[in-house]
Amino acid sequence: MTKAIELIVSLDPEVMQIAGRSLALAASSCAIATLIAIPLGSVIHFNSFRGKRLLVNIIQTLYSVPTVVVGLFVFVFISRAGPLGNLGLLFTPAAIIIGQVLLVLPIMMGLTISALRGVDVTLTDTAISLGANRFQTAALVIKEARFAMLGAVIMGFGRAISEVGLSLMVGGNIRGFTRTLTTAISLETSKGELELSIALGIILLFIALVVSIVLNRLQQR
Amino acid sequence: MSNNKPIIETTDLGQRLNGRDVLRDINLRIEQGEVFALIGPTGSGKTTLLRLLDLIDKPSQGKVYFNGTDVTESDRQRLDTRRRMAFVLQKPVVFNASVYDNIAYGLKWRGVSRENVHTRVDDILDMIGMVDFHKRNARMLSGGEMQRVAIARAIATEPEVLLLDEPTANLDPVSTAKIEELITDIIQQYRTTIVMATHDMSQGQRLADRVGMLLNGEIVQTGGWHEALNSPRNREMAKFVGIENIINGVVVSSEDNVVTIGTDDSVIEAVSDCAVGEQIHACIRSEEVILALSRLSSSARNTFTGDITRLTFTGPVARVEIDCGFRLVALVTRRSVEEMPLEKGKKVYASFKATAVHVIRRG
Ligand SMILES: Nc1ncnc2c1ncn2[C@@H]1O[C@H](COP(=O)(O)OP(=O)(O)O)[C@@H](O)[C@H]1O
Ligand SMILES: [Mg+2]
């Protein structure tokens, strides 16, 4: 345990590198997913169409899709024999990002829709009564839901940084290249290198804690 | 009515929600510059009607005309017309933004330039007495302040028609007075046409020129206040306008528009054109009932004796319930109660004029 703390306090280069890579990967996936989820979620929310409820149900079901299933799906697509095989993405950080984007899209989109739904309908009516057109009304509703939508983004980040199965399958846990906090922990633990595992675990816990504090703060807004 | 083109007119307007007719056959003419009150009990359809007038919802039947143009269907026309009106909803909601931005929204949405928005919002803040509040988040305001911001936000765009939905519901008396003052200012400064829903009869009388009574989704009558208060068309409306004495009876004789009405065990004389044999309600406002300790020899045709069963005070007014075969309620001043004096159990003479009785046919 003291050894683990030492590794963190001394800013051990390998530990720091892994933590930094994890954060960078999750942040990139999260940014890409946000750019897709918020516009798409908004389009779904502000339009009425056939099968809308079914679509939302499917999105919600996918919140808890197992990471290994997403991993398998991505693997099939980018492996040498797959449709995207010639891009050589397998066992690269890009593969992890693709997987994480797919993994967190449903939760971000679903929570975006919930956030927009949570805006009081009276507010929409007020905007309409004040002469807002459809786009102006939508813009206002999105603005009113901004904190709840930021919460959706942070939930997505939390899911991306803590998943392990996906990174292992399509990233390959290659030292100095695709090794992340979670894959390193699982590898080092199986090797019996508990000090390093515990150090990485503490960092992961710390990140999770920060995420949850930020989420709580947002929910109070 | 006048030959002016009404600013808003509806023809056979109806609204069906969840398979139920919430509004039926609404034919309204709102004249330019008038203040029109929509009164009716909760659930009578006031909000539904205002939403149709503001073109927020589409009616399931009938048409809405604005300045003579049918604006019921075309989305473009509905938006353009809506931008010439403003609607303050029953539940005041403010946007999660500063008081200034809240008031500016309607102007920005109409593409008004920044500088013009600025001067206009400053003027309005001054008018509602909230200049010092402009940077505050509107969510942090009290209910009364929020309602003032909601009204300010609505009039910032200088609407030709202002629709108000129970603007003082759930407000304390002080806030209510402030809102009424603000509405009076608007009426005087802008001469805006106003349609306001209220279930507060006295507020309606203070602010509005004309009134339409809504009951179960139908306009029961429209006209001046005197007519509304003294000649309601049916029993429910009579109750709603505060007539406490409603007595069932049958017309037993009629001569020169003076009828004699037989009730369970007494007779009432009234002025009415009902025919002999018609089933009616005799309505007498409690302030028209005069009390005395001895028989009065006045022109009042109807005099009854009975014991006081209840005596209650609100401010300078006393409400006296008398059992004279039927229950009769009288309103007298506290002073006359003390001078006569009146007390529970005492025998009194209650009288009212034949012209004070409003007769409604029972149908
Ligand atoms: N969206 C709706 N769906 C179904 N019924 C509604 C809806 N809105 C209002 N109603 C019903 O229509 C009637 C009139 O409501 P409303 O216009 O709000 O009355 P008021 O404003 O006079 O209190 C009520 O019985 C109410 O339950
Ligand atoms: Mg209402």
Side-chain angles (χ1 to χ4, degrees):
Chain A
M1 191 69 193
T2 38
K3 181 95 189 296
I5 304 232
E6 240 178 75
L7 279 171
I8 299 172
V9 177
S10 67
L11 303 175
D12 176 85
E14 168 143 43
V15 171
M16 290 305 122
Q17 201 194 34
I18 294 174
R21 182 178 305 117
S22 263
L23 282 171
L25 286 174
S28 312
S29 321
C30 200
I32 295 168
T34 301
L35 290 179
I36 304 169
I38 287 185
L40 214 56
S42 304
V43 167
I44 293 171
H45 174 78
F46 289 113
N47 288 286
S48 34
F49 51 89
R50 236 161 194 259
K52 175 170 172 173
R53 188 184 288 177
L54 180 69
L55 179 62
V56 174
N57 276 338
I58 291 172
I59 292 171
Q60 284 169 347
T61 310
L62 292 176
Y63 284 8
S64 51
V65 64
T67 55
V68 286
V69 172
V70 178
L72 176 65
F73 181 79
V74 175
F75 191 96
V76 166
F77 265 81
I78 63 175
S79 64
R80 181 99 9 122
L84 303 176
N86 50 2
L87 296 179
L89 291 171
L90 194 59
F91 304 135
T92 64
I96 296 180
I97 291 175
I98 292 171
Q100 286 184 345
V101 168
L102 291 178
L103 181 74
V104 302
L105 257 184
I107 201 162
M108 276 196 190
M109 223 152 80
L111 292 180
T112 296
I113 293 170
S114 302
L116 294 171
R117 266 194 199 155
V119 174
D120 189 349
V121 281
T122 321
L123 210 128
T124 312
D125 287 343
T126 304
I128 295 171
S129 78
L130 288 169
N133 63 27
R134 278 188 57 174
F135 295 107
Q136 290 165 335
T137 306
L140 180 87
V141 171
I142 290 171
K143 199 169 165 205
E144 289 285 323
R146 60 194 181 269
F147 293 117
M149 293 208 301
L150 193 53
V153 171
I154 289 172
M155 280 292 270
F157 179 81
R159 179 128 211 242
I161 195 126
S162 59
E163 65 78 24
V164 52
L166 173 79
S167 299
L168 214 50
M169 284 169 80
V170 300
N173 194 23
I174 301 165
R175 186 171 184 189
F177 188 46
T178 57
R179 184 163 296 175
T180 64
L181 283 170
T182 51
T183 58
I185 290 171
S186 71
L187 178 75
E188 299 305 325
T189 308
S190 63
K191 286 197 323 202
E193 293 274 353
L194 288 185
E195 292 88 358
L196 186 55
S197 271
I198 291 171
L200 296 171
I202 289 172
I203 292 174
L204 192 58
L205 260 179
F206 177 75
I207 294 171
L209 191 70
V210 170
V211 166
S212 119
I213 289 171
V214 174
L215 263 180
N216 263 322
R217 277 288 168 87
L218 286 175
Q219 270 153 13
Q220 282 160 14
R221 293 296 274 265
Chain B
M1 208 170 283
S2 70
N3 297 325
N4 290 348
K5 215 194 272 173
I7 188 156
I8 296 180
E9 185 174 12
T10 70
T11 55
D12 303 324
L13 204 61
Q15 184 68 305
R16 211 177 157 76
L17 297 170
N18 283 345
R20 203 166 66 83
D21 284 320
V22 172
L23 282 180
R24 263 180 319 263
D25 305 326
I26 306 289
N27 292 286
L28 266 187
R29 283 169 66 96
I30 309 294
E31 306 292 333
Q32 179 93 46
E34 78 169 326
V35 180
F36 186 88
L38 264 179
I39 65 166
T42 302
S44 56
K46 302 183 293 294
T47 300
T48 309
L49 178 53
L50 288 176
R51 290 176 67 92
L52 292 181
L53 296 184
D54 195 42
L55 308 169
I56 291 181
D57 297 332
K58 277 193 186 175
S60 52
Q61 229 169 33
K63 296 207 178 308
V64 181
Y65 295 87
F66 191 87
N67 277 332
T69 311
D70 177 0
V71 292
T72 322
E73 285 305 323
S74 143
D75 282 340
R76 183 74 240 169
Q77 253 178 348
R78 288 164 61 84
L79 177 64
D80 289 343
T81 309
R82 197 182 304 118
R83 285 184 169 174
R84 295 167 67 178
M85 304 192 264
F87 180 20
V88 179
L89 277 72
Q90 183 162 359
K91 183 176 150 204
V93 290
V94 291
F95 305 127
N96 193 356
S98 67
V99 169
Y100 180 98
D101 285 338
N102 261 276
I103 297 175
Y105 263 112
L107 296 165
K108 284 183 188 159
W109 283 329
R110 283 165 179 74
V112 175
S113 76
R114 256 181 113 87
E115 298 128 62
N116 289 344
V117 170
H118 199 79
T119 35
R120 185 85 193 113
V121 175
D122 281 351
D123 284 353
I124 296 283
L125 280 169
D126 194 36
M127 178 175 183
I128 61 166
M130 290 180 73
V131 175
D132 297 338
F133 285 64
H134 73 282
K135 275 188 186 156
R136 267 227 234 151
N137 187 305
R139 287 265 184 96
M140 305 300 159
L141 301 175
S142 73
E145 289 162 346
M146 271 194 206
Q147 186 63 299
R148 264 191 286 163
V149 170
I151 295 177
R153 189 171 56 186
I155 58 167
T157 57
E158 299 185 44
E160 291 165 60
V161 178
L162 177 62
L163 306 164
L164 300 167
D165 197 356
E166 307 205 17
T168 60
N170 315 318
L171 292 185
D172 58 275
V174 176
S175 305
T176 300
K178 277 190 182 165
I179 296 288
E180 284 189 13
E181 206 177 302
L182 176 58
I183 297 171
T184 311
D185 285 351
I186 295 168
I187 295 170
Q188 284 169 357
Q189 277 194 31
Y190 297 94
R191 312 221 162 272
T192 315
T193 307
I194 295 181
V195 181
M196 62 183 295
T198 178
H199 61 236
D200 180 347
M201 296 288 301
S202 56
Q203 175 173 77
Q205 287 174 74
R206 282 193 291 277
L207 299 172
D209 313 318
R210 213 157 60 90
V211 57
M213 311 244 198
L214 204 56
L215 197 68
N216 298 324
E218 284 179 276
I219 297 270
V220 189
Q221 70 191 85
T222 54
W225 281 103
H226 185 80
E227 191 194 340
L229 295 178
N230 295 292
S231 325
R233 295 270 169 80
N234 62 31
R235 188 172 198 278
E236 281 152 300
M237 222 57 235
K239 273 188 145 167
F240 186 72
V241 299
I243 298 180
E244 286 205 81
N245 301 300
I246 304 175
I247 302 152
N248 291 350
V250 185
V251 177
V252 292
S253 76
S254 164
E255 205 183 320
D256 291 340
N257 274 356
V258 175
V259 295
T260 310
I261 298 157
T263 68
D264 283 348
D265 51 9
S266 32
V267 291
I268 296 171
E269 287 194 4
V271 177
S272 158
D273 58 2
C274 287
V276 174
E278 278 196 89
Q279 305 265 334
I280 56 93
H281 297 293
C283 305
I284 306 115
R285 297 198 78 88
S286 45
E287 56 269 30
E288 302 278 1
V289 179
I290 297 157
L291 298 183
L293 293 180
S294 56
R295 179 174 286 273
L296 290 169
S297 55
S298 75
S299 67
R301 294 258 182 108
N302 302 295
T303 303
F304 304 91
T305 57
D307 294 338
I308 295 176
T309 53
R310 205 158 167 242
L311 187 59
T312 49
F313 295 94
T314 40
V317 180
R319 184 175 176 277
V320 189
E321 279 184 40
I322 306 136
D323 176 15
C324 41
F326 51 88
R327 195 191 71 145
L328 197 62
V329 179
L331 285 187
V332 294
T333 61
R334 177 186 277 266
R335 226 176 112 192
S336 53
V337 169
E338 283 158 3
E339 279 174 6
M340 283 203 267
L342 296 178
E343 59 197 24
K344 193 177 169 185
K346 204 157 184 173
K347 185 178 162 190
V348 288
Y349 290 84
S351 55
F352 49 87
K353 294 180 182 170
T355 50
V357 184
H358 170 61
V359 178
I360 300 173
R361 289 183 175 84
R362 250 187 289 171

